[in-house]
Amino acid sequence: MSDAPAPAPKDFIRELIAADVAAQRNDGWVITRFPPEPNGYLHIGHAKSICLNFGIALENAPKSRCHLRFDDTNPVKEDVEYVNSIQEDVRWLGFDWSQHLYFASDYFEKLYGFALQLIEKGLAYVDDQTLEQVRANRGSLMHPGTPSPFRERPVAENVDLFSRMRAGEFKAGEKILRAKIDMSSPNMNLRDPVIYRILHAHHHRTGDAWCIYPMYDYAHPLSDALEGITHSLCTLEFEHHRPLYEWLINSVDGLPSHPYQREFARLNLTYTVMSKRKLLGLVKAGLVSGWDDPRMPTISGIRRRGYTPHAVRHFCETIGLTKFASLTELALLEHCVREDLNKHSQRVYGVLRPIKVVLTNYPEGQVEQIELVNNPENPTGGTRPVPLSRELYIDADDFMETPVADFHRLVPGGEVRLKYAFCITCDAVIKDAEGRITELRCTYDDATRRGVKPVGRPKVKGTIHWVSAAHAVDVEVRLYDKLFVEAQPEEAAGEEGDFTQFLNPASLEILNAKLEPSVLAASPGAHYQFERVGYFFTDPKDSQPGRPVFNRTVALKDSFAKAK
RNA sequence: UGCCUUAUGGUGUAACGGUAGCACAGCAGAUUCUGAAUCUGCUUGUCUAGGUUCAAAUCCUAGUGAGGCAACCA
């Protein structure tokens, strides 16, 4: 009894929800929602929210669910391309909204009715002021606002004007509908917030049916209520919108549920930027190849980079949930992928920067098959035959003509083990006229096969990977690195500065690598570990049958490189 | 010169008035046919000042730092 395992610590939101369930609030139901605006691609920060909302629903089954609702109230910024990508990304992360796919635009008629109701109650009015006047009369952070001259407009006139707004009698900006709350509130959101504006814009779902569109602050709480949402979870910047959220929920009659909003800190990650606007900027400026460029922190980008849904979900669990505006190290995300990929990825030999090695005492024309372990982490993973012959390639990193201290790979006169084959000794370094190494002449030791370490001989410390020159296949390999050179590019650029100046010029290096022939069978979207090098993913877009293209997901940890 | 939120090792978090713990990162060592993985150990922390209490990371007050707020964006 006493050594029962401690329950996993809950974050403040899960605690709150657990208390609601215990108190039988909403009959014990927990209904959450993920409410993206379809104005861009989802990024890793959204993954945090997706894992939270869908995760909470899963944890509270069976009296629970999570909706996917598109907050599509601003037609000028939104597009079906985004609604499609968002659904794909949420599914890829492993979550299912089943039949609960909604659009705020589906509620336009009901939202209009609620607005009429507010007008009837004297809680909303049509304002004729210009945008500039509204802004000026809102006051400032230090000073209260002043009421609009139209604030006391009679109900009947408001009803008439609002229906004529809907009918298209006015141009954009001529009139707005405002909630009548408190022009002197210290909370700017309560100073008679705009709840409807005129937009003669084509909507990606409702077409030209509407020329007035509700604002987020108005549509969101009421959409939540219409769907029976119990817990509306959003990021910290909406914290001071909460009184408005509650004002609406309490002011509108006939709502099927009374949800409440709670806020948590959004994810910030080092060496990247996380705003849709800035990511869109990178795409538009051609600084990346698109939203799914493997260097982007978008879900589609990291998917193409080779991250797994499991790794992303585990990352989202690991970072926790608080109200503190924190900055998470990229290293933690990388740790999460390595952890997953180490367990599950097929090992393969790949030489990124080849140096030719000739085994002078190996018979010409002879080819033998060496059995390589597919995945040492998986005892039932089996082996595969890989050809070995007289001429090989090894990685340039694995040879040093004048070695630094503690280098225990191949050096002139030194010995190294070719993994799963035998040890070789470097007898000569051949160079071209410019002094570049073209070839290493080595001899192999037949007595060291299969890992045998002959007694009485100095221990061979280094073990390196290799491929047979005649059998290796040339494959395009893309080495991706962090997008920015600064941990906090926006911070480094300052208010006025341009964060793109900190883009990492070495964030992509394209190599023609020599890989073991088995990779030709790789299908697009497959994860590999190039032994001793890193984790690689066959690019789902650019790979062709028999001609894979590899994206480096993340390098293996390299404690030797660090020591240098 | 306002209002709201927030502050625990380098980073992210836990501790719900009673032994400051975990993960990442870092550093050592063991192990290793991947300088990976694995295992062991170590370094490093309660923003400051008061107060309440037998006892404060935790409650209160003030200060300081950080984030947010004046789109007809979300």
Side-chain angles (χ1 to χ4, degrees):
Chain A
M1 271 313 158
S2 58
D3 46 286
K10 281 183 174 153
D11 55 75
F12 71 105
I13 285 182
R14 274 178 245 255
E15 276 183 0
L16 207 59
I17 291 176
D20 287 340
V21 171
Q24 284 297 295
R25 200 189 128 96
N26 299 304
D27 219 17
W29 276 83
V30 177
I31 304 173
T32 55
R33 100 272 91 110
F34 174 62
E37 183 191 14
N39 68 342
Y41 280 63
L42 260 26
H43 54 63
I44 182 86
H46 295 109
K48 178 178 181 181
S49 176
I50 293 167
C51 290
L52 207 224
N53 280 292
F54 281 93
I56 283 173
L58 256 15
E59 292 157 22
N60 287 281
K63 291 172 95 171
S64 63
R65 61 176 191 260
C66 180
H67 299 179
L68 174 61
R69 180 176 71 239
F70 288 94
D71 236 322
D72 53 350
T73 56
N74 185 4
V76 304
K77 286 188 177 174
E78 296 155 9
D79 196 280
V80 280
E81 176 192 356
Y82 300 128
V83 347
N84 293 333
S85 74
I86 288 167
Q87 294 187 55
E88 182 185 1
D89 290 347
V90 174
R91 270 197 215 99
W92 176 77
L93 270 176
F95 296 105
D96 179 17
W97 53 86
S98 81
Q99 73 269 40
H100 298 286
L101 174 65
Y102 302 108
F103 292 82
S105 54
D106 288 344
Y107 309 138
F108 281 173
E109 193 62 52
K110 282 180 179 165
L111 295 173
Y112 178 82
F114 291 145
L116 244 21
Q117 187 196 129
L118 289 175
I119 292 171
E120 300 281 2
K121 286 175 147 182
L123 294 178
Y125 62 97
V126 173
D127 196 342
D128 296 359
Q129 291 183 108
T130 64
L131 197 149
E132 291 71 28
Q133 288 169 323
V134 170
R135 201 170 281 167
N137 288 338
R138 188 147 34 217
S140 73
L141 296 177
M142 316 304 180
H143 304 288
T146 50
S148 163
F150 303 95
R151 198 169 197 260
E152 301 308 328
R153 188 117 78 175
V155 167
E157 194 182 326
N158 281 320
V159 171
D160 175 59
L161 255 15
F162 187 49
S163 50
R164 286 164 61 194
M165 280 169 65
R166 177 181 183 170
E169 288 188 29
F170 308 108
K171 292 201 281 284
E174 259 182 75
K175 291 190 169 19
I176 49 173
L177 186 70
R178 293 229 255 171
K180 192 194 281 188
I181 307 180
D182 179 4
M183 286 308 290
S184 60
S185 171
N187 183 339
M188 301 294 288
N189 296 113
L190 263 21
R191 321 247 263 229
D192 288 11
V194 178
I195 59 180
Y196 267 93
R197 80 287 214 187
I198 296 169
L199 245 34
H200 291 279
H202 186 83
H203 188 280
H204 61 100
R205 297 197 89 235
T206 60
D208 298 312
W210 293 87
C211 63
I212 56 171
Y213 291 92
M215 301 288 291
Y216 164 87
D217 277 320
Y218 174 78
H220 199 87
L222 299 176
S223 301
D224 280 348
L226 286 171
E227 291 177 15
I229 299 300
T230 58
H231 301 268
S232 188
L233 311 175
C234 61
T235 45
L236 248 28
E237 64 269 29
F238 295 103
E239 197 158 25
H240 46 274
H241 294 235
R242 189 152 113 196
L244 177 52
Y245 186 103
E246 288 170 355
W247 184 89
L248 253 346
I249 294 294
N250 294 327
S251 300
V252 174
D253 294 324
L255 295 177
S257 80
H258 282 217
Y260 69 79
Q261 172 184 304
R262 282 298 178 276
E263 311 81 15
F264 60 90
R266 66 189 317 147
L267 171 68
N268 296 299
L269 250 196
T270 56
Y271 300 106
T272 192
V273 294
M274 209 72 94
S275 100
K276 275 197 224 174
R277 207 191 89 245
K278 282 174 180 154
L279 294 174
L280 176 62
L282 295 177
V283 173
K284 279 189 168 164
L287 295 168
V288 294
S289 66
W291 284 100
D292 68 346
D293 186 300
R295 293 166 291 185
M296 292 280 272
T298 50
I299 309 262
S300 52
I302 63 183
R303 171 169 64 231
R304 195 172 169 193
R305 174 88 168 242
Y307 276 72
T308 60
H310 177 269
V312 176
R313 274 187 260 120
H314 183 234
F315 171 73
C316 290
E317 282 164 25
T318 307
I319 54 178
L321 195 74
T322 64
K323 299 188 74 165
F324 178 64
S326 58
L327 178 66
T328 298
E329 290 177 343
L330 218 211
L332 182 60
L333 215 212
E334 295 185 334
H335 163 78
C336 290
V337 229
R338 287 197 189 99
E339 188 182 48
D340 190 25
L341 262 16
N342 173 49
K343 284 196 205 91
H344 301 115
S345 60
Q346 166 78 35
R347 310 287 125 122
V348 115
Y349 281 5
V351 172
L352 263 29
R353 295 178 170 85
I355 302 185
K356 182 172 275 190
V357 167
V358 178
L359 304 180
T360 51
N361 61 341
Y362 193 94
E364 262 182 84
Q366 180 174 314
V367 178
E368 63 180 297
Q369 301 293 327
I370 305 288
E371 289 296 322
L372 301 188
V373 174
N374 285 328
N375 183 351
E377 301 289 321
N378 176 9
T380 61
T383 61
R384 66 188 185 284
V386 172
L388 179 146
S389 60
R390 191 170 192 266
E391 295 196 353
L392 310 169
Y393 290 112
I394 65 167
D395 242 312
D397 282 353
D398 290 334
F399 175 78
M400 282 187 101
E401 193 173 15
T402 48
V404 296
D406 292 322
F407 182 79
H408 48 249
R409 277 106 97 159
L410 194 61
V411 299
E415 198 175 7
V416 79
R417 181 174 296 278
L418 297 183
K419 198 175 178 193
Y420 286 114
F422 37 62
C423 294
I424 61 171
T425 300
C426 178
D427 306 313
V429 178
I430 314 296
K431 297 179 180 176
D432 64 14
E434 277 88 47
R436 288 184 301 244
I437 298 172
T438 56
E439 182 179 312
L440 267 20
R441 294 280 167 90
C442 300
T443 47
Y444 86 99
D445 182 353
D446 206 55
T448 57
R449 279 179 178 275
R450 283 175 295 279
V452 168
K453 301 167 181 95
V455 285
R457 294 241 307 264
K459 191 181 174 191
V460 176
K461 276 187 178 166
T463 299
I464 65 174
H465 56 99
W466 48 271
V467 291
S468 168
H471 304 88
V473 293
D474 285 1
V475 168
E476 179 177 332
V477 168
R478 299 165 180 171
L479 299 185
Y480 291 105
D481 203 347
K482 54 174 90 99
L483 224 205
F484 291 91
V485 107
E486 283 284 338
Q488 300 181 79
E490 294 143 305
E491 193 99 335
E495 292 278 300
E496 311 291 289
D498 175 14
F499 70 98
T500 63
Q501 68 182 292
F502 300 114
L503 245 8
N504 178 7
S507 61
L508 170 60
E509 184 181 5
I510 299 177
L511 259 28
N512 185 2
K514 303 278 188 187
L515 305 193
E516 66 169 73
S518 74
V519 300
L520 286 185
S523 51
H527 301 277
Y528 289 90
Q529 185 199 96
F530 291 6
E531 287 215 34
R532 304 206 315 122
V533 176
Y535 296 100
F536 290 81
F537 185 63
T538 47
D539 190 284
K541 264 193 177 172
D542 298 336
S543 295
Q544 304 286 333
R547 199 181 63 80
V549 171
F550 285 90
N551 297 335
R552 183 173 68 189
T553 308
V554 64
L556 248 37
K557 286 174 90 177
D558 188 348
S559 55
F560 176 69
K562 210 153 25 189
K564 286 192 291 185

mmCIF file of all heavy atoms in Angstrom, chain A residues 114-138:
data_model
loop_
_atom_site.group_PDB
_atom_site.id
_atom_site.type_symbol
_atom_site.label_atom_id
_atom_site.label_comp_id
_atom_site.label_asym_id
_atom_site.label_seq_id
_atom_site.Cartn_x
_atom_site.Cartn_y
_atom_site.Cartn_z
ATOM 1 N N PHE A 114 -27.897 35.892 -32.434
ATOM 2 C CA PHE A 114 -27.448 36.284 -31.088
ATOM 3 C C PHE A 114 -27.133 37.776 -31.041
ATOM 4 O O PHE A 114 -27.403 38.447 -30.043
ATOM 5 C CB PHE A 114 -26.203 35.491 -30.678
ATOM 6 C CG PHE A 114 -26.465 34.033 -30.426
ATOM 7 C CD1 PHE A 114 -25.509 33.072 -30.753
ATOM 8 C CD2 PHE A 114 -27.646 33.597 -29.843
ATOM 9 C CE1 PHE A 114 -25.732 31.729 -30.522
ATOM 10 C CE2 PHE A 114 -27.870 32.245 -29.602
ATOM 11 C CZ PHE A 114 -26.911 31.305 -29.947
ATOM 12 N N ALA A 115 -26.594 38.279 -32.143
ATOM 13 C CA ALA A 115 -26.271 39.706 -32.190
ATOM 14 C C ALA A 115 -27.556 40.534 -32.102
ATOM 15 O O ALA A 115 -27.616 41.542 -31.395
ATOM 16 C CB ALA A 115 -25.501 40.031 -33.472
ATOM 17 N N LEU A 116 -28.576 40.075 -32.831
ATOM 18 C CA LEU A 116 -29.875 40.735 -32.762
ATOM 19 C C LEU A 116 -30.405 40.721 -31.328
ATOM 20 O O LEU A 116 -30.947 41.715 -30.827
ATOM 21 C CB LEU A 116 -30.852 39.990 -33.687
ATOM 22 C CG LEU A 116 -31.470 40.692 -34.911
ATOM 23 C CD1 LEU A 116 -30.694 41.914 -35.396
ATOM 24 C CD2 LEU A 116 -31.705 39.695 -36.038
ATOM 25 N N GLN A 117 -30.224 39.586 -30.693
ATOM 26 C CA GLN A 117 -30.674 39.454 -29.305
ATOM 27 C C GLN A 117 -29.962 40.479 -28.402
ATOM 28 O O GLN A 117 -30.596 41.129 -27.560
ATOM 29 C CB GLN A 117 -30.379 38.036 -28.819
ATOM 30 C CG GLN A 117 -30.953 37.742 -27.431
ATOM 31 C CD GLN A 117 -30.355 36.501 -26.792
ATOM 32 O OE1 GLN A 117 -29.901 36.541 -25.658
ATOM 33 N NE2 GLN A 117 -30.360 35.394 -27.532
ATOM 34 N N LEU A 118 -28.658 40.620 -28.606
ATOM 35 C CA LEU A 118 -27.906 41.588 -27.793
ATOM 36 C C LEU A 118 -28.416 43.011 -28.054
ATOM 37 O O LEU A 118 -28.545 43.812 -27.127
ATOM 38 C CB LEU A 118 -26.405 41.496 -28.099
ATOM 39 C CG LEU A 118 -25.697 40.243 -27.582
ATOM 40 C CD1 LEU A 118 -24.244 40.223 -28.067
ATOM 41 C CD2 LEU A 118 -25.742 40.178 -26.049
ATOM 42 N N ILE A 119 -28.707 43.292 -29.327
ATOM 43 C CA ILE A 119 -29.231 44.615 -29.670
ATOM 44 C C ILE A 119 -30.559 44.849 -28.939
ATOM 45 O O ILE A 119 -30.771 45.891 -28.314
ATOM 46 C CB ILE A 119 -29.418 44.759 -31.188
ATOM 47 C CG1 ILE A 119 -28.057 44.770 -31.892
ATOM 48 C CG2 ILE A 119 -30.203 46.031 -31.516
ATOM 49 C CD1 ILE A 119 -28.131 44.696 -33.413
ATOM 50 N N GLU A 120 -31.441 43.866 -29.014
ATOM 51 C CA GLU A 120 -32.746 43.969 -28.360
ATOM 52 C C GLU A 120 -32.594 44.223 -26.863
ATOM 53 O O GLU A 120 -33.370 44.958 -26.255
ATOM 54 C CB GLU A 120 -33.552 42.667 -28.547
ATOM 55 C CG GLU A 120 -33.832 42.287 -30.000
ATOM 56 C CD GLU A 120 -34.979 43.079 -30.627
ATOM 57 O OE1 GLU A 120 -35.539 43.955 -29.931
ATOM 58 O OE2 GLU A 120 -35.280 42.831 -31.816
ATOM 59 N N LYS A 121 -31.584 43.606 -26.290
ATOM 60 C CA LYS A 121 -31.361 43.767 -24.850
ATOM 61 C C LYS A 121 -30.648 45.071 -24.512
ATOM 62 O O LYS A 121 -30.360 45.341 -23.347
ATOM 63 C CB LYS A 121 -30.475 42.632 -24.336
ATOM 64 C CG LYS A 121 -31.167 41.285 -24.227
ATOM 65 C CD LYS A 121 -30.129 40.257 -23.820
ATOM 66 C CE LYS A 121 -30.706 39.182 -22.942
ATOM 67 N NZ LYS A 121 -29.665 38.228 -22.525
ATOM 68 N N GLY A 122 -30.334 45.834 -25.531
ATOM 69 C CA GLY A 122 -29.603 47.077 -25.288
ATOM 70 C C GLY A 122 -28.133 46.833 -25.001
ATOM 71 O O GLY A 122 -27.458 47.673 -24.409
ATOM 72 N N LEU A 123 -27.620 45.687 -25.415
ATOM 73 C CA LEU A 123 -26.228 45.356 -25.112
ATOM 74 C C LEU A 123 -25.314 45.463 -26.324
ATOM 75 O O LEU A 123 -24.155 45.065 -26.278
ATOM 76 C CB LEU A 123 -26.156 43.923 -24.541
ATOM 77 C CG LEU A 123 -26.827 43.737 -23.173
ATOM 78 C CD1 LEU A 123 -26.748 42.276 -22.738
ATOM 79 C CD2 LEU A 123 -26.174 44.630 -22.126
ATOM 80 N N ALA A 124 -25.869 45.942 -27.426
ATOM 81 C CA ALA A 124 -25.038 46.139 -28.621
ATOM 82 C C ALA A 124 -25.633 47.274 -29.435
ATOM 83 O O ALA A 124 -26.842 47.518 -29.381
ATOM 84 C CB ALA A 124 -24.970 44.861 -29.444
ATOM 85 N N TYR A 125 -24.769 47.967 -30.175
ATOM 86 C CA TYR A 125 -25.242 49.090 -30.987
ATOM 87 C C TYR A 125 -24.396 49.229 -32.246
ATOM 88 O O TYR A 125 -23.243 48.822 -32.289
ATOM 89 C CB TYR A 125 -25.213 50.388 -30.178
ATOM 90 C CG TYR A 125 -23.827 50.802 -29.710
ATOM 91 C CD1 TYR A 125 -23.072 51.738 -30.422
ATOM 92 C CD2 TYR A 125 -23.272 50.258 -28.552
ATOM 93 C CE1 TYR A 125 -21.808 52.114 -30.000
ATOM 94 C CE2 TYR A 125 -22.006 50.622 -28.124
ATOM 95 C CZ TYR A 125 -21.279 51.553 -28.839
ATOM 96 O OH TYR A 125 -20.030 51.913 -28.415
ATOM 97 N N VAL A 126 -25.027 49.820 -33.231
ATOM 98 C CA VAL A 126 -24.331 50.102 -34.483
ATOM 99 C C VAL A 126 -23.633 51.446 -34.336
ATOM 100 O O VAL A 126 -24.230 52.420 -33.882
ATOM 101 C CB VAL A 126 -25.322 50.136 -35.661
ATOM 102 C CG1 VAL A 126 -24.616 50.609 -36.938
ATOM 103 C CG2 VAL A 126 -25.955 48.765 -35.857
ATOM 104 N N ASP A 127 -22.353 51.447 -34.698
ATOM 105 C CA ASP A 127 -21.552 52.663 -34.572
ATOM 106 C C ASP A 127 -21.158 53.151 -35.959
ATOM 107 O O ASP A 127 -20.662 52.380 -36.779
ATOM 108 C CB ASP A 127 -20.293 52.343 -33.738
ATOM 109 C CG ASP A 127 -19.614 53.612 -33.243
ATOM 110 O OD1 ASP A 127 -19.889 54.694 -33.803
ATOM 111 O OD2 ASP A 127 -18.817 53.509 -32.294
ATOM 112 N N ASP A 128 -21.380 54.450 -36.198
ATOM 113 C CA ASP A 128 -21.062 55.037 -37.501
ATOM 114 C C ASP A 128 -19.677 55.680 -37.515
ATOM 115 O O ASP A 128 -19.262 56.225 -38.537
ATOM 116 C CB ASP A 128 -22.075 56.148 -37.855
ATOM 117 C CG ASP A 128 -23.481 55.603 -38.022
ATOM 118 O OD1 ASP A 128 -23.654 54.375 -37.881
ATOM 119 O OD2 ASP A 128 -24.399 56.402 -38.297
ATOM 120 N N GLN A 129 -18.992 55.665 -36.411
ATOM 121 C CA GLN A 129 -17.692 56.329 -36.363
ATOM 122 C C GLN A 129 -16.724 55.685 -37.346
ATOM 123 O O GLN A 129 -16.806 54.498 -37.638
ATOM 124 C CB GLN A 129 -17.087 56.218 -34.957
ATOM 125 C CG GLN A 129 -17.810 57.018 -33.897
ATOM 126 C CD GLN A 129 -17.091 56.903 -32.567
ATOM 127 O OE1 GLN A 129 -16.466 57.839 -32.117
ATOM 128 N NE2 GLN A 129 -17.162 55.731 -31.955
ATOM 129 N N THR A 130 -15.773 56.478 -37.793
ATOM 130 C CA THR A 130 -14.726 55.919 -38.643
ATOM 131 C C THR A 130 -13.774 55.108 -37.771
ATOM 132 O O THR A 130 -13.749 55.242 -36.542
ATOM 133 C CB THR A 130 -13.905 57.026 -39.328
ATOM 134 O OG1 THR A 130 -13.236 57.775 -38.292
ATOM 135 C CG2 THR A 130 -14.793 57.950 -40.146
ATOM 136 N N LEU A 131 -12.974 54.306 -38.454
ATOM 137 C CA LEU A 131 -11.979 53.501 -37.765
ATOM 138 C C LEU A 131 -11.094 54.368 -36.873
ATOM 139 O O LEU A 131 -10.792 54.030 -35.735
ATOM 140 C CB LEU A 131 -11.138 52.802 -38.832
ATOM 141 C CG LEU A 131 -10.285 51.610 -38.457
ATOM 142 C CD1 LEU A 131 -10.184 50.677 -39.634
ATOM 143 C CD2 LEU A 131 -8.903 52.038 -38.005
ATOM 144 N N GLU A 132 -10.705 55.525 -37.413
ATOM 145 C CA GLU A 132 -9.827 56.443 -36.670
ATOM 146 C C GLU A 132 -10.526 56.983 -35.420
ATOM 147 O O GLU A 132 -9.915 57.083 -34.360
ATOM 148 C CB GLU A 132 -9.387 57.615 -37.566
ATOM 149 C CG GLU A 132 -8.442 57.246 -38.694
ATOM 150 C CD GLU A 132 -9.114 56.438 -39.819
ATOM 151 O OE1 GLU A 132 -10.343 56.601 -40.027
ATOM 152 O OE2 GLU A 132 -8.424 55.636 -40.464
ATOM 153 N N GLN A 133 -11.810 57.290 -35.581
ATOM 154 C CA GLN A 133 -12.558 57.824 -34.431
ATOM 155 C C GLN A 133 -12.715 56.750 -33.354
ATOM 156 O O GLN A 133 -12.560 57.022 -32.167
ATOM 157 C CB GLN A 133 -13.930 58.314 -34.889
ATOM 158 C CG GLN A 133 -13.867 59.598 -35.709
ATOM 159 C CD GLN A 133 -15.207 59.913 -36.367
ATOM 160 O OE1 GLN A 133 -15.921 59.008 -36.797
ATOM 161 N NE2 GLN A 133 -15.544 61.187 -36.455
ATOM 162 N N VAL A 134 -13.022 55.551 -33.793
ATOM 163 C CA VAL A 134 -13.175 54.452 -32.832
ATOM 164 C C VAL A 134 -11.886 54.283 -32.053
ATOM 165 O O VAL A 134 -11.871 54.164 -30.829
ATOM 166 C CB VAL A 134 -13.533 53.139 -33.558
ATOM 167 C CG1 VAL A 134 -13.444 51.961 -32.590
ATOM 168 C CG2 VAL A 134 -14.932 53.230 -34.158
ATOM 169 N N ARG A 135 -10.812 54.323 -32.805
ATOM 170 C CA ARG A 135 -9.504 54.124 -32.197
ATOM 171 C C ARG A 135 -9.201 55.240 -31.200
ATOM 172 O O ARG A 135 -8.760 54.994 -30.084
ATOM 173 C CB ARG A 135 -8.456 54.087 -33.310
ATOM 174 C CG ARG A 135 -7.174 53.419 -32.939
ATOM 175 C CD ARG A 135 -6.293 53.219 -34.166
ATOM 176 N NE ARG A 135 -6.692 52.077 -34.968
ATOM 177 C CZ ARG A 135 -6.242 51.831 -36.205
ATOM 178 N NH1 ARG A 135 -5.404 52.678 -36.789
ATOM 179 N NH2 ARG A 135 -6.631 50.766 -36.861
ATOM 180 N N ALA A 136 -9.455 56.464 -31.614
ATOM 181 C CA ALA A 136 -9.148 57.610 -30.757
ATOM 182 C C ALA A 136 -10.022 57.594 -29.502
ATOM 183 O O ALA A 136 -9.553 57.873 -28.407
ATOM 184 C CB ALA A 136 -9.357 58.910 -31.533
ATOM 185 N N ASN A 137 -11.283 57.249 -29.672
ATOM 186 C CA ASN A 137 -12.197 57.257 -28.537
ATOM 187 C C ASN A 137 -12.048 56.067 -27.603
ATOM 188 O O ASN A 137 -12.653 56.033 -26.551
ATOM 189 C CB ASN A 137 -13.646 57.336 -29.035
ATOM 190 C CG ASN A 137 -13.965 58.716 -29.588
ATOM 191 O OD1 ASN A 137 -13.294 59.696 -29.246
ATOM 192 N ND2 ASN A 137 -14.956 58.796 -30.460
ATOM 193 N N ARG A 138 -11.229 55.125 -28.033
ATOM 194 C CA ARG A 138 -11.024 53.968 -27.161
ATOM 195 C C ARG A 138 -10.156 54.354 -25.960
ATOM 196 O O ARG A 138 -10.081 53.636 -24.976
ATOM 197 C CB ARG A 138 -10.394 52.813 -27.936
ATOM 198 C CG ARG A 138 -10.345 51.522 -27.143
ATOM 199 C CD ARG A 138 -10.489 50.272 -28.004
ATOM 200 N NE ARG A 138 -9.876 50.451 -29.293
ATOM 201 C CZ ARG A 138 -10.361 49.972 -30.433
ATOM 202 N NH1 ARG A 138 -11.458 49.245 -30.437
ATOM 203 N NH2 ARG A 138 -9.734 50.194 -31.561
#
